[in-house]
Amino acid sequence: MTLFTLTGKGVTYAFAALESGHLAHIYYGKRADDEDLSYLLRLDENPFTPKVNKRDMGTFMDTTPFEYPVHGTGDYREPAIMLMDNKGMSALDLRFVSYEITKGKPILEQKLEDMTVRLPATFAEENEAETVAVTLEDKRTGLNVILYYTVFADLDVITRSVKLINKGAEAFDVRRVLSACVDLDSDQYDFITLNGSWARERVMERCRLHHGKQSIDSVKGESSHQNNPFAALVSHTADEDMGEAYGFNLVYSGNFFAQAEVTQHKKTRFLMGINPFDFSWKLEPSAEFTAPELVMVYSSEGIGKMSRTFHDLYRQHLIRGEYKDKRRPILINNWEATYFNFDTDKLIGIAKQASELGIEMLVMDDGWFGHRDSDNSSLGDWFVYEKKINGGLKHLVDEVNKLGMKFGIWFEPEMISPDSELYKAHPDWAIQIEGLPMTQSREQYVLDYSRKEVRDCIYGQMRKILDSANIEYIKWDMNRQLTEVGSNALPADRQRELWHRYVLGVYDVMNRLTTDYPHILLENCSGGGARFDAGMLFYSPQIWTSDDTDAIERLKIQHGTSICYPASAMGAHVSDCPNHTVGRSTPFSTRGNVAMVGTFGYELDVTRIPEADRNEIPGQIEMFKKYNPLVRTGDQYRIGNVFEDNMWDAWMFVAKDKSEAVFTFVQVLGRPNYRSRRIKLKGLDPERKYKNHETGEIHTGAALMNCGINVNLSGDFQSKVVYFTAE
Ligand code: GLA
């Protein structure tokens, strides 16, 4: 038996290659100091070992916890991998061949006919992580499976990925290749997922696991509004501060699948990866396939600690570029201010007023290109609409720069409008199936990003725009999902690869863009937050969280998003009231206090909002600058529970050295008898004394956390921010 015991700071992950060559899972959870946990395998007990009991190999296959389960040889639980070989067979028998340990973490790449695409993934220096690569083989087909496990030294994180190599003589179709399986030894878990819809993305849902299969997925071609590629298994009693939590997040932006299966013996098999639905990938002899990375976070201190580990990992080991550790410019975006109805003068008017108030960047949203006056045309025609941008783009950008502001621009590079020059010239470039009507969504089609000439054409147009003026920010949008998924360029036996090739094509252009323009700040967006995923965070340090900018709706959206993703990545803006999505009016200060735990900016016509609101902007900006370092680098503690009791929410950001903290409280509805609430703080050092900058009082961290502070607020949608410093 070859034992693998991966040990992180507070976590152990153990598995073994058995005598038979099967790769069995042993343990995943709180750190066990023993190197050898093989006693947990119960190999001497019938019928659990093939050596002792060959006549009941089936029981062995169907009950043993496996690292990478196959289909067709006795394991009737969900498999991690399936093929269709040239004889029409799908069963596999994977056995251990060898392993290799390396310092650091290898990058993930996928070779295609005309290029090699780097997949988004977390990264680590040689002293920050160690990787073991375990090779398995199916002798009959020649399929080699390499399982990668990276253990981070300072975080309770293990990342997984899988590479397939066809070492056989015949091609086969890979029908399923998930990124990881975890066979846990219990069924006593709750399943946490982040679900929603347009304008209410990533609302946390928690339910008890039961026999059978519980899954979430996307079949839309992007990670989606509906389910996020995140799932957690937590003990029934786990809350923010206590209990076990296993968090899983796929670093991928396309169709995904996550499933927890409670099996006959009350164990849980968890699987996650590219959605096998409508997926197939032809692997020729000696060709390779790389499955995306799955990040696994373990916490023995509740859901809050799990989130903070994800935040640290993503801030340090996923997000890249110049803005990785920098405060982002405070922007004003003209979408909710003007929609399509703007021109150079209007934008300069907004910029003038905004610059006087301390706003640092103007972002020109949708409507500046082709002949776009509404959402019914011009996607694909990335040249300036001179009628609106009179005087040209350079003139506009120069004028904005003269005001001391940066300039940002909106693109939707994956789309094509039927009413566009691009569509007239290349109708075949849209994703489509001959003989089927093409489904329009927002009056647009999706470009076939599996084709290099398509990507080159769009990227070439983008470059021309970016090189024509001093552009320092891009909002990359994606406003519809895929239908009639067929490519005019792929052969029949590769058509089902299009879902994944599309995502690889998007990654290719994002790779090129971030390499060629390292100074540009990229913000992703997809009809609000339909592509808020770790794949996108590899390219853009921030993502538009939701089209819903209402401060109260945002409590749930930002709470849910923070379960996995850091506040520093959440696009959040102050918008006008009544709110354009829900019609609610909230105080300007509350809108600011909620947007402040994101990237912060404004999305309103600053020349037309009430003067009293406008006058609050300089103060808000000052506050944002003061607290942003804490939000960007500190530890987040969720205090309120917006899901159970929608009357208030609260959170804290605490410096890593616990020397300062900021506390935010938002009252949703005022209620009788709740004028004064006692709220217990979190994350402070119990032994240090802290000054409350609102009251001037000094109390120990223990008092503030164990006894709490009094919060007095009256009225709906009121909020306050309190700053604490250690004495
Ligand atoms: C999407 C985005 C919005 C805005 C519009 C423009 O809906 O989420 O912020 O950019 O597109 O069409």
Side-chain angles (χ1 to χ4, degrees):
M1 181 160 47
T2 311
L3 267 181
F4 299 89
T5 309
L6 319 183
T7 312
K9 218 167 91 192
V11 64
T12 296
Y13 189 103
F15 58 98
L18 308 180
E19 298 300 322
S20 59
H22 292 100
L23 203 61
H25 178 77
I26 300 176
Y27 172 77
Y28 178 32
K30 192 167 181 171
R31 184 178 164 137
D33 290 327
D34 290 29
E35 275 291 307
D36 183 353
L37 295 170
S38 61
Y39 68 94
L40 294 168
L41 278 169
R42 298 185 288 173
L43 284 180
D44 300 330
E45 290 173 36
N46 285 334
F48 291 101
T49 163
K51 212 161 87 186
V52 176
N53 195 350
K54 251 203 189 108
R55 63 178 279 277
D56 211 355
M57 186 69 177
T59 310
F60 168 80
M61 289 304 295
D62 204 26
T63 54
T64 302
F66 287 120
E67 280 302 298
Y68 204 66
V70 294
H71 144 87
T73 44
D75 185 349
Y76 294 104
R77 296 162 291 180
E78 190 88 5
I81 182 162
M82 269 179 83
L83 302 185
M84 181 65 76
D85 69 19
N86 68 340
K87 297 186 181 67
M89 303 302 165
S90 64
L92 286 171
D93 183 11
L94 286 177
R95 306 283 177 122
F96 175 69
V97 178
S98 62
Y99 72 91
E100 194 187 349
I101 297 172
T102 50
K103 294 243 170 268
K105 187 169 187 294
I107 63 166
L108 305 186
E109 287 182 331
Q110 177 64 53
K111 273 201 197 102
L112 296 171
E113 298 74 14
D114 50 5
M115 64 166 173
T116 298
V117 185
R118 180 172 176 188
L119 269 74
T122 57
F123 48 82
E125 301 294 330
E126 293 212 334
N127 59 349
E128 292 172 328
E130 225 175 347
T131 300
V132 56
V134 181
T135 301
L136 309 174
E137 184 186 26
D138 176 64
K139 280 223 162 70
R140 192 180 64 85
T141 56
L143 166 72
N144 274 229
V145 176
I146 308 176
L147 305 177
Y148 294 91
Y149 301 77
T150 297
V151 189
F152 280 74
D154 291 333
L155 295 163
D156 289 338
V157 172
I158 294 169
T159 61
R160 308 267 302 264
S161 64
V162 176
K163 191 198 283 186
L164 307 183
I165 308 173
N166 182 355
K167 292 203 172 168
E170 307 286 344
F172 47 73
D173 291 334
V174 181
R175 293 285 167 90
R176 154 191 300 249
V177 47
L178 299 179
S179 295
C181 169
V182 182
D183 270 343
L184 294 166
D185 196 64
S186 163
D187 67 341
Q188 294 301 305
Y189 297 109
D190 288 356
F191 193 39
I192 293 181
T193 50
L194 306 175
N195 313 316
S197 179
W198 173 77
R200 49 182 178 85
E201 297 90 341
R202 289 172 302 287
V203 175
M204 187 175 125
E205 216 169 296
R206 179 172 177 166
C207 57
R208 205 182 165 97
L209 283 188
H210 52 79
H211 274 107
K213 299 171 179 181
Q214 292 113 86
S215 66
I216 50 159
D217 74 349
S218 166
V219 290
K220 300 193 161 203
E222 62 172 347
S223 42
S224 89
H225 294 99
Q226 287 71 19
N227 295 140
N228 190 264
F230 166 85
L233 294 171
V234 305
S235 49
H236 297 317
T237 52
D239 61 15
E240 281 293 319
D241 310 304
M242 285 179 340
E244 284 200 296
Y246 299 87
F248 303 95
N249 190 212
L250 193 68
V251 189
Y252 189 58
S253 311
N255 290 352
F256 75 92
F257 167 78
Q259 182 178 281
E261 175 183 8
V262 174
T263 66
Q264 55 179 334
H265 297 303
K266 298 192 179 296
K267 315 283 183 203
T268 303
R269 169 166 290 181
F270 180 82
L271 292 156
M272 196 160 183
I274 292 179
N275 199 339
F277 177 80
D278 204 25
F279 169 87
S280 185
W281 193 277
K282 185 174 184 184
L283 213 57
E284 298 280 2
S286 77
E288 299 180 1
F289 182 87
T290 303
E293 170 168 291
L294 182 72
V295 173
M296 310 199 306
V297 168
Y298 173 75
S299 159
S300 59
E301 293 162 51
I303 299 162
K305 175 74 189 305
M306 175 198 78
S307 298
R308 288 188 288 280
T309 304
F310 272 115
H311 300 171
D312 284 340
L313 179 76
Y314 289 171
R315 293 187 301 202
Q316 297 310 323
H317 299 279
L318 180 67
I319 289 170
R320 305 173 299 163
E322 267 181 26
Y323 284 96
K324 179 173 183 264
D325 300 313
K326 266 212 300 219
R327 179 173 75 70
R328 320 284 158 72
I330 300 162
L331 65 82
I332 184 158
N333 177 303
N334 75 308
W335 179 240
E336 286 195 27
T338 65
Y339 295 102
F340 293 100
N341 188 17
F342 64 88
D343 59 14
T344 299
D345 292 344
K346 177 76 207 166
L347 293 177
I348 291 176
I350 291 177
K352 251 196 194 118
Q353 177 87 77
S355 66
E356 284 162 17
L357 297 165
I359 296 172
E360 300 163 330
M361 178 161 75
L362 176 79
V363 175
M364 177 171 69
D365 210 279
D366 192 357
W368 58 267
F369 52 91
H371 60 277
R372 188 147 163 111
D373 286 314
S374 87
D375 60 13
N376 64 3
S377 83
S378 306
L379 295 166
D381 295 348
W382 299 107
F383 46 82
V384 173
Y385 189 9
E386 299 280 347
K387 191 181 104 190
K388 278 161 103 171
I389 312 303
N390 37 313
L393 185 61
K394 181 159 171 27
H395 164 70
L396 170 62
V397 178
D398 287 348
E399 289 303 307
V400 170
N401 286 168
K402 271 188 215 156
L403 295 166
M405 290 175 90
K406 295 177 191 293
F407 184 89
I409 198 167
W410 180 97
F411 284 102
E412 199 179 348
E414 298 153 71
M415 297 295 149
I416 181 166
S417 301
D419 176 9
S420 67
E421 290 186 17
L422 189 72
Y423 192 71
K424 264 181 228 136
H426 301 286
D428 60 310
W429 281 10
I431 286 181
Q432 59 195 274
I433 296 176
E434 206 190 321
L436 271 187
M438 289 164 76
T439 303
Q440 286 192 11
S441 181
R442 216 189 189 216
E443 291 195 55
Q444 63 200 55
Y445 302 133
V446 183
L447 281 167
D448 182 355
Y449 257 51
S450 73
R451 295 171 70 166
K452 186 164 183 306
E453 68 271 35
V454 173
R455 300 193 304 269
D456 286 351
C457 167
I458 297 297
Y459 185 55
Q461 291 190 58
M462 288 174 77
R463 287 204 70 154
K464 266 199 190 142
I465 292 291
L466 297 175
D467 294 342
S468 73
N470 183 27
I471 292 168
E472 298 180 77
Y473 163 107
I474 292 173
K475 179 172 169 187
W476 177 312
D477 211 335
M478 195 256 192
N479 275 322
R480 65 155 289 179
Q481 290 79 38
L482 278 56
T483 54
E484 296 87 37
V485 177
S487 166
N488 288 315
L490 289 171
D493 59 358
R494 290 199 179 273
Q495 282 292 343
R496 295 343 301 140
E497 299 176 10
L498 182 54
W499 292 107
H500 184 53
R501 283 177 180 267
Y502 176 83
V503 178
L504 294 175
V506 172
Y507 289 155
D508 169 50
V509 178
M510 287 195 182
N511 273 325
R512 290 198 234 173
L513 182 65
T514 47
T515 309
D516 295 344
Y517 298 94
H519 307 304
I520 289 184
L521 171 60
L522 183 61
E523 175 157 352
N524 257 281
C525 174
S526 178
R531 216 159 49 179
F532 204 120
D533 59 59
M536 286 295 143
L537 281 183
F538 186 66
Y539 304 101
S540 62
Q542 59 196 57
I543 302 176
W544 184 228
T545 314
S546 176
D547 276 343
D548 196 334
T549 52
D550 172 67
I552 301 304
E553 293 298 308
R554 276 284 180 133
L555 297 178
K556 282 187 185 164
I557 297 168
Q558 294 181 190
H559 175 115
T561 306
S562 80
I563 296 290
C564 181
Y565 308 100
S568 60
M570 289 187 215
H573 299 166
V574 175
S575 63
D576 203 3
C577 275
N579 179 269
H580 294 193
T581 306
V582 294
R584 184 180 288 125
S585 289
T586 52
F588 199 74
S589 56
T590 294
R591 284 175 259 161
N593 292 343
V594 173
M596 221 160 273
V597 290
T599 57
F600 197 66
Y602 293 86
E603 181 134 352
L604 39 71
D605 186 345
V606 73
T607 65
R608 292 172 60 175
I609 56 170
E611 205 181 331
D613 288 355
R614 193 162 44 238
N615 291 342
E616 281 193 44
I617 292 179
Q620 265 178 356
I621 287 177
E622 203 182 309
M623 221 166 117
F624 167 71
K625 286 183 180 165
K626 178 172 168 189
Y627 297 134
N628 180 255
L630 276 173
V631 172
R632 238 175 347 94
T633 65
D635 285 327
Q636 180 174 3
Y637 291 84
R638 291 177 292 257
I639 298 176
N641 188 340
V642 279
F643 301 103
E644 274 171 19
D645 172 354
N646 208 8
M647 291 195 300
W648 62 277
D649 194 10
W651 56 82
M652 285 182 79
F653 285 84
V654 182
K656 287 276 175 199
D657 65 3
K658 302 202 182 284
S659 62
E660 53 172 341
V662 59
F663 165 79
T664 307
F665 178 91
V666 181
Q667 176 149 290
V668 177
L669 293 180
R671 283 283 167 92
N673 310 330
Y674 281 107
R675 292 278 294 259
S676 173
R677 292 167 204 273
R678 210 180 268 182
I679 308 287
K680 292 178 182 176
L681 304 191
K682 291 185 184 179
L684 301 173
D685 180 342
E687 284 169 15
R688 281 165 93 173
K689 287 191 167 161
Y690 289 89
K691 178 172 175 184
N692 175 330
H693 286 250
E694 187 193 26
T695 62
E697 291 169 355
I698 293 172
H699 295 291
T700 58
L704 296 169
M705 293 193 293
N706 300 340
C707 319
I709 60 167
N710 289 327
V711 179
N712 302 304
L713 278 180
S714 165
D716 295 346
F717 317 131
Q718 302 298 316
S719 64
K720 68 155 69 186
V721 175
V722 186
Y723 181 50
F724 292 86
T725 48
E727 288 291 285

